[in-house]
Amino acid sequence: MLALTACIPSESDGTPPILLFNGTGTSPNDVKAVEAILKERRLKYATTNSRQLNGMSESQLLAFHLMIVPGGNYISMGNSLTPTTTTNIHNAVQGGLNYLGICAGGLLAGNATCNNLNLTSGVRFGFYGEVNRGVHKAAVAIVNVGTPALEHYWEDGPQFTGWGEVVGKYPDGTPAIVEGTVGKGWVILCGVHPEAPENWRRGMNFTMPSSVANDYAGTLIDAALRGTRLPHY
């Protein structure tokens, strides 16, 4: 049975609007960070682990408005799911389930080198260039359209060249946040962690408080939930 967290009144059929994946390969700390944003926004959600998700049908997935897949190890995530499950998720998004992929959840959405969702019609994503320089954690300023750059916690996150409309860019100009339509579903992929709490930032140089980034995490979740197009390049 899915774990239901009550934050706002349920919908008429009792299904919350958001399904948060917390299965094999996800970072428990990132799951908690996403939950903190959902609770702050008073958004009702259910959590599902790999075994539970493997037991869900396409029609059961379509009872939700949004699926969130957080950070972690995308290979472990994908390989903890059956091919039938990833096909069901893919088809559910095509049928109108919205999707928010954060870091590993963004990689899993592409044509990744593991069992994947392939919401991108075959596009495979690489990592932000800092990985090639041996950097694995950093404060990264993301530039959005018409707003000052926002600093976000980044940890081995992807860049999304080749798919969607670019909402935010890394300092090297590659896409950090993208959005796009997949069938009837609305998909947002984010390579950084705007949901990261202050304690993730120890030993790093940030000039903005985590609350600013956390507010942006709420913006991404709201846009993904409602299918709202964010300003893009």
Side-chain angles (χ1 to χ4, degrees), residues 2-205:
L2 299 178
L4 182 63
T5 300
C7 297
I8 60 174
S10 353
E11 299 193 343
S12 57
D13 64 356
T15 302
I18 297 171
L19 181 64
L20 172 62
F21 180 57
N22 66 354
T24 302
T26 59
S27 161
N29 287 334
D30 200 33
V31 171
K32 290 177 183 177
V34 173
E35 287 186 294
I37 303 297
L38 294 173
K39 290 172 182 176
E40 182 183 10
R41 294 263 167 161
R42 297 187 61 78
L43 293 171
K44 194 160 189 165
Y45 65 96
T47 58
T48 181
N49 61 30
S50 302
R51 178 185 57 79
Q52 292 164 338
L53 190 54
N54 283 331
M56 294 180 70
S57 66
E58 181 182 332
S59 62
Q60 287 175 312
L61 289 166
L62 280 167
F64 297 90
H65 295 310
L66 170 65
M67 181 175 187
I68 301 177
V69 179
N73 183 319
Y74 72 98
I75 295 175
S76 296
M77 287 183 194
N79 290 340
S80 76
L81 304 175
T82 67
T84 297
T85 299
T86 50
T87 297
N88 284 343
I89 297 169
H90 175 97
N91 292 343
V93 173
Q94 289 278 347
L97 173 67
N98 296 342
Y99 180 92
L100 172 59
I102 301 170
C103 196
L107 285 165
L108 189 67
N111 183 24
T113 55
C114 62
N115 186 30
N116 62 72
L117 305 180
N118 193 20
L119 301 177
T120 60
S121 300
V123 176
R124 178 173 295 172
F125 302 124
F127 292 91
Y128 173 45
E130 288 296 281
V131 169
N132 298 327
R133 290 185 279 275
V135 178
H136 300 285
K137 296 180 182 181
V140 177
I142 302 300
V143 180
N144 299 90
V145 177
T147 62
L150 293 179
E151 288 179 323
H152 296 288
Y153 177 90
W154 169 87
E155 183 174 350
D156 286 334
Q159 53 89 6
F160 300 109
T161 297
W163 185 84
E165 296 168 330
V166 179
V167 173
K169 294 181 180 181
Y170 286 112
D172 67 358
T174 55
I177 305 167
V178 293
E179 63 184 6
T181 301
V182 176
K184 296 179 180 178
W186 184 241
V187 173
I188 297 178
L189 307 178
C190 180
V192 292
H193 289 280
E195 76 285 0
E198 191 67 35
N199 62 6
W200 289 21
R201 297 175 165 210
R202 289 175 187 151
M204 306 173 73
N205 294 319

